[in-house]
Amino acid sequence: MLKYILKRILMVIPVLLGVTVIIFMITRVLASDPAPVVLGEHATPEAMEAWRADNGLDDPLWLQYVNFIAGAVQGDLGTSYYTHQPVTQEIAARFPATAELAVCAIIVASLLGVALGVLAAVRRNKLADNVSMVVALVGVSMPIFWSGILLILLFSGILHVLPSSGRVSPLLQPTGGTGFFILDTIMRGDWTALGDVLVHLILPTLALSLYSMAIITRMTRSSMIETLSADYIRTARAKGLSKGAVNIKHALRNAMLPISTVIGLQFGSLLGGALLTETVFAWPGIGKFAVDCVLKSDFPVVQGIVLLVAVIFVIMNLVVDIVYAYLDPRIKYGAKEEG
């Protein structure tokens, strides 16, 4: 098992290096010169040249990349062109908002996806199965930004029951703490603010979780159908066990291995999908911040955010691989035979 883990960890290194090359090339080669955007169109050529020199943009590309990697390894992702604050500090201030949204979204997606998938498998080829598959098809087909706009139009514009933007009402916003508003309000016992935070979370959570819920629903249905046809399930039924005991205790428990893998991978994807969701709902996380920085050509921040999301996604893949190998020893043995 240890050899398998070490092998997976070593495979992460070239992936991350490839990500850094892609990020660097996009922001330094394919993107336009940030100097006119940052300094303004009326800045003199001399001022632009001085600004490029101060930010190391007049160095050779290979030297800029080496400096970027050397800084990233030490936790230094550079300085924002606009706020003049360290990129790590800017990201740290906004990451709790994105993480909180992603955690809530994966919880909702997992609960609804597994429930709909089990219902579809148990009621195969019946009305419940068809309805679940239609919901999954809509979830897969509808872009996040479009579902977000529809949710705002319905619940905020027409029904006026839910807020359309922000994390919390201005008068109730927690100060200090961890930056995770749910945790902060619970620790302080501020239940009014907690309720306001949860209400603001409803629409962006639904929009962000819709696609993942559809994927989990499909995987749960497929895995449950395969498990329900196994011999030990027929034996459990022959012993007179109730349908609930057979479907939940025996079938779902054994079908959870591929489902848990999909849930882990979807959580990593939600951090990337949060970009559009945060933009639509004006959610002050790293996704919206990345969009703002792209428009302002604040490339150090963009590089830092993309690198962070890539690292989290790779780590989630690594964790899923390790957990899968732990739960299913055949994975380890298969890797050993291939080696």
Side-chain angles (χ1 to χ4, degrees):
M1 183 64 180
L2 182 58
K3 291 182 178 179
Y4 178 80
I5 294 175
L6 291 175
K7 180 181 177 181
R8 290 299 182 187
I9 292 176
L10 290 175
M11 292 175 62
V12 167
I13 297 175
V15 173
L16 291 179
L17 285 176
V19 169
T20 60
V21 171
I22 295 173
I23 297 172
F24 184 82
M25 294 301 291
I26 290 176
T27 56
R28 300 300 174 92
V29 178
L30 300 181
S32 59
D33 182 12
V37 180
V38 175
L39 298 179
E41 59 182 12
H42 298 295
T44 63
E46 292 77 13
M48 293 185 185
E49 286 296 332
W51 184 86
R52 295 189 191 98
D54 291 340
N55 289 275
L57 297 180
D58 57 349
D59 294 333
L61 281 178
W62 66 268
L63 182 57
Q64 293 183 45
Y65 178 73
V66 170
N67 292 334
F68 171 61
I69 293 297
V73 171
Q74 301 175 39
D76 181 10
L77 297 175
T79 303
S80 170
Y81 292 159
Y82 283 87
T83 65
H84 306 293
Q85 298 295 321
V87 172
T88 51
Q89 182 177 322
E90 295 284 355
I91 294 176
R94 295 166 175 81
F95 181 72
T98 298
E100 191 170 64
L101 177 59
V103 169
C104 292
I106 197 61
I107 291 174
V108 171
S110 300
L111 293 177
L112 294 180
V114 170
L116 288 175
V118 170
L119 181 63
V122 172
R123 302 289 184 179
R124 187 179 181 185
N125 297 326
K126 295 182 179 179
L127 178 61
D129 184 19
N130 295 331
V131 172
S132 298
M133 288 301 96
V134 169
V135 172
L137 179 62
V138 171
V140 171
S141 305
M142 186 176 295
I144 292 177
F145 69 88
W146 182 242
S147 61
I149 292 173
L150 292 180
L151 288 172
I152 291 175
L153 179 63
L154 175 60
F155 291 101
S156 183
I158 298 177
L159 299 179
H160 303 287
V161 293
L162 293 173
S164 61
S165 62
R167 293 183 71 188
V168 66
S169 299
L171 296 178
L172 298 175
Q173 182 168 346
T175 56
T178 63
F180 296 89
F181 283 2
I182 294 179
L183 180 61
D184 291 341
T185 52
I186 291 177
M187 291 174 62
R188 297 176 183 178
D190 191 347
W191 309 119
T192 301
L194 175 61
D196 190 70
V197 169
L198 294 176
V199 167
H200 279 79
L201 266 168
I202 293 176
L203 290 185
T205 296
L206 289 177
L208 184 58
S209 64
L210 189 59
Y211 178 81
S212 295
M213 181 200 68
I215 299 297
I216 295 171
T217 298
R218 288 184 169 186
M219 176 55 69
T220 302
R221 179 182 182 274
S222 176
S223 184
M224 279 290 293
I225 289 175
E226 182 179 353
T227 304
L228 288 171
S229 62
D231 293 337
Y232 64 87
I233 296 296
R234 286 193 288 267
T235 302
R237 289 169 176 164
K239 289 182 177 180
L241 295 179
S242 63
K243 289 184 178 180
V246 172
N247 294 333
I248 304 300
K249 184 178 179 180
H250 294 278
L252 180 59
R253 184 177 181 181
N254 288 280
M256 280 303 296
L257 184 58
I259 298 172
S260 60
T261 302
V262 170
I263 291 174
L265 296 177
Q266 286 300 310
F267 179 69
S269 301
L270 286 177
L271 292 172
L275 186 148
L276 293 175
T277 305
E278 291 179 3
T279 303
V280 171
F281 290 96
W283 191 264
I286 61 173
K288 183 178 183 299
F289 189 46
V291 174
D292 294 339
C293 290
V294 168
L295 297 177
K296 296 187 298 184
S297 298
D298 197 348
F299 295 143
V301 176
V302 176
Q303 290 175 172
I305 292 175
V306 175
L307 182 59
L308 173 65
V309 173
V311 169
I312 293 175
F313 191 82
V314 169
I315 290 176
M316 287 304 304
N317 276 270
L318 177 62
V319 171
V320 167
D321 285 343
I322 294 173
V323 171
Y324 204 112
Y326 177 78
L327 297 176
D328 190 351
R330 294 173 298 178
I331 301 297
K332 292 181 291 184
Y333 296 145
K336 184 176 181 180
E337 291 174 2
E338 290 176 4

